[in-house]
Amino acid sequence: MSLSYIPKTLEQLGEDLARLTPDSLILAGGTDLVLHLRAKHLQPDAVLSLSNVDALREIVITPDRAEIGAMATMAQVEQAFQGLEDLQALADAAGGVGSPQIRNKGTIGGNVANASPAGDLPPVLWLLGAQANIMGPGGARRSMDVRDLPLGNQKTSLALGEVILSFTIDRTALRGWRSAFVKLGHRSQVTISRIGMAMALLQDENQVIQDAKVVVGAIKPIPFPLPAAEEILRGQRPDPALAVALGETFKGNTRRVYKEDAAKGVFQDTLLRFQR
């Protein structure tokens, strides 16, 4: 039988992290891990649950920054960031994860730490320049750019006994920007991304795009920027007619031809978000 650690405070969390071994598991919302435990018949020597650490569920938003606790659920994230133009991509991505039941359980930290190529939140956090705040054994803390977390093959750069506490986004660097996220899946609900498109635009008073950022998920093992698409967008208005040229930038980035064609539709849907 596995040992169970259920800390209630950050101090207790640091102590329990020091007790973990390479055969231990850390449980966040459990929407992915529980399925893996059942399907693969894993037998960890210990399971550390983050569910009772209330500090990890907090979301704090100020004009200068946003701090998102790793245990904030997708439902919380969607509600907190809906209507904030610079951070709207967070609400878009969180609101499209699974079913309402999954969004009420699944967490932003778990979505990132799971390191699935099809994860919806990693490309958005990359787009927004998020920092991941991490705790290790004994309570040691460090921060790193969220871009440096995924390593591919569903692995991250987190060391043994490390866990994500929260994500910090510098909103001062996003002033004047608008963001959006659109994904392509096989079904309208409870679907895994086949393409995840995170886009941010800086426009002038005439809606002309002064600068653009595009980060794509569900194509390669980790999210990646698309500078060729960003270059096409600069100096233009967010016209869906650009989708054909933008879709061409997918060539060479995927071996699946259907994704090259489908990308045009995803770009079109994303650009429509900026016309509202």
Side-chain angles (χ1 to χ4, degrees), residues 80-132:
F81 294 101
Q82 189 68 248
L84 299 180
E85 290 193 332
D86 56 334
L87 304 175
Q88 179 62 40
L90 281 168
D92 294 342
V97 172
S99 64
Q101 293 89 341
I102 290 174
R103 291 193 291 276
N104 284 329
K105 289 289 291 182
T107 66
I108 187 170
N111 193 263
V112 173
N114 188 44
S116 167
D120 292 333
L121 274 298
V124 172
L125 292 168
W126 181 316
L127 177 84
L128 300 175
Q131 293 284 308

Side-chain angles (χ1 to χ4, degrees), residues 46-243:
V47 175
L48 189 157
S49 172
L50 303 175
S51 60
N52 283 18
V53 185
D54 290 340
L56 299 184
R57 298 188 181 278
E58 296 178 357
I59 298 177
V60 178
I61 305 171
T62 72
D64 292 337
R65 71 180 182 91
E67 186 91 14
I68 313 165
M71 286 294 289
T73 65
M74 295 301 173
Q76 283 180 274
V77 173
E78 180 186 16
Q79 183 178 20
F81 294 101
Q82 189 68 248
L84 299 180
E85 290 193 332
D86 56 334
L87 304 175
Q88 179 62 40
L90 281 168
D92 294 342
V97 172
S99 64
Q101 293 89 341
I102 290 174
R103 291 193 291 276
N104 284 329
K105 289 289 291 182
T107 66
I108 187 170
N111 193 263
V112 173
N114 188 44
S116 167
D120 292 333
L121 274 298
V124 172
L125 292 168
W126 181 316
L127 177 84
L128 300 175
Q131 293 284 308
N133 305 308
I134 297 162
M135 176 181 282
R141 300 199 190 195
R142 66 185 179 104
S143 295
M144 65 186 302
D145 194 310
V146 76
R147 294 176 296 181
D148 296 325
L149 269 172
L151 298 177
N153 294 321
Q154 290 195 261
K155 296 181 180 179
T156 72
S157 55
L158 293 173
L160 174 63
E162 284 192 324
V163 67
I164 300 171
L165 295 180
S166 63
F167 300 96
T168 301
I169 298 171
D170 178 11
R171 296 188 74 189
T172 65
L174 297 172
R175 283 181 182 150
W177 289 78
R178 300 169 65 199
S179 72
F181 175 84
V182 171
K183 76 173 179 180
L184 172 70
H186 287 317
R187 303 185 299 274
S188 61
Q189 293 290 328
V190 199
T191 184
I192 296 174
S193 286
R194 296 301 185 263
I195 298 175
M197 178 76 63
M199 182 183 294
L201 301 180
L202 180 65
Q203 298 168 265
D204 65 15
E205 63 276 7
N206 296 314
Q207 303 303 306
V208 176
I209 299 167
Q210 302 301 299
D211 203 356
K213 300 176 185 177
V214 179
V215 179
V216 181
I219 298 292
K220 299 180 180 181
I222 64 175
F224 64 96
L226 207 56
E230 295 169 353
E231 187 59 33
I232 291 172
L233 288 165
R234 294 186 184 104
Q236 305 291 327
R237 290 186 175 88
D239 187 343
L242 293 171

